[in-house]
Amino acid sequence: LAKTTQPISMDSYEGQEVNITCSHNNIATNDYITWYQQFPSQGPRFIIQGYKTKVTNEVASLFIPADRKSSTLSLPRVSLSDTAVYYCLVGDMGSSASKIIFGSGTRLSIRP
Amino acid sequence: ETGVTQTPRHLVMGMTNKKSLKCEQHLGHNAMYWYKQSAKKPLELMFVYNFKEQTENNSVPSRFSPECPNSSHLFLHLHTLQPEDSALYLCASSQKTGSGNQPQHFGDGTRLSIL
């Protein structure tokens, strides 16, 4: 199983760029890197997914170095509503779902 | 609106009661999942269904009984639950399992409290 390690918590301020790094040293060739966001009493929401290099969508960017042993979720100009728990998952979504593990995530707190 | 609807949103039941949780997805997906999220703990996968067939049971106690009558609906039947079963139960769906990178779409869960 490809285990991930993320910071337990992070703090930032409105308008800042926030980068959350996830380590996944034993990532397999077929594994994708997927990030989810979860607000209290809601289900996780898919943010972004990538395999290598850089992926960007309307809400975030995902940077993946060549060795793929880590990845960084970048949230530009955060607001108070970005306060949530962010999960980094690594796995081959096409294989057994039980191999896709939600860890403890990173609790991001945004201050005014 | 995530396309995955769970009912009820909140449920309080005694240990001897029988109740059911319902999940419906409007995304045309073929795989559906049940997860349990206890307070300040990671999500725990419980069951996986792919094209209405159960493909994974993550060692879940028999007091939890899933049912998937079609690809759009998923139920979790509950009976003789224990206080430690109090948690947020989340349903998710994806295009299908066994086909590459398929992000899951989650409902907002049922908050279950066992008295």
Side-chain angles (χ1 to χ4, degrees), chain A residues 58-102:
Chain A
E58 62 275 10
V59 298
S61 294
L62 179 60
F63 298 92
I64 305 169
D67 66 5
R68 305 201 323 126
K69 293 184 182 299
S70 67
S71 59
T72 299
L73 175 72
S74 181
L75 305 173
R77 297 178 298 281
V78 294
S79 64
L80 296 176
S81 63
D82 292 315
T83 295
V85 178
Y86 292 81
Y87 297 97
C88 165
L89 280 73
V90 172
D92 176 1
M93 295 288 187
S95 64
S96 169
S98 60
K99 296 181 180 177
I100 311 300
I101 299 174
F102 281 82

Side-chain angles (χ1 to χ4, degrees), chain A residues 32 34 36 38 40-46 49 87 92-104 107, chain B residues 2 9 33 35 37 42-43 45 48 56 58 88 90 96-104 106-109 111:
Chain A
Y32 283 78
T34 309
Y36 288 83
Q38 186 178 23
S41 297
Q42 291 187 19
R45 299 288 183 265
F46 170 79
Q49 184 180 73
Y87 297 97
D92 176 1
M93 295 288 187
S95 64
S96 169
S98 60
K99 296 181 180 177
I100 311 300
I101 299 174
F102 281 82
S104 298
R107 188 171 299 275
Chain B
T2 67
R9 289 299 311 279
Y33 313 78
Y35 285 86
Q37 188 173 34
L43 277 74
L45 179 67
V48 181
E56 295 189 46
N58 201 24
L88 180 68
L90 292 161
K96 59 182 176 179
T97 62
S99 61
N101 54 325
Q102 300 291 332
Q104 296 178 14
F106 285 81
D108 284 333
R111 175 71 62 187

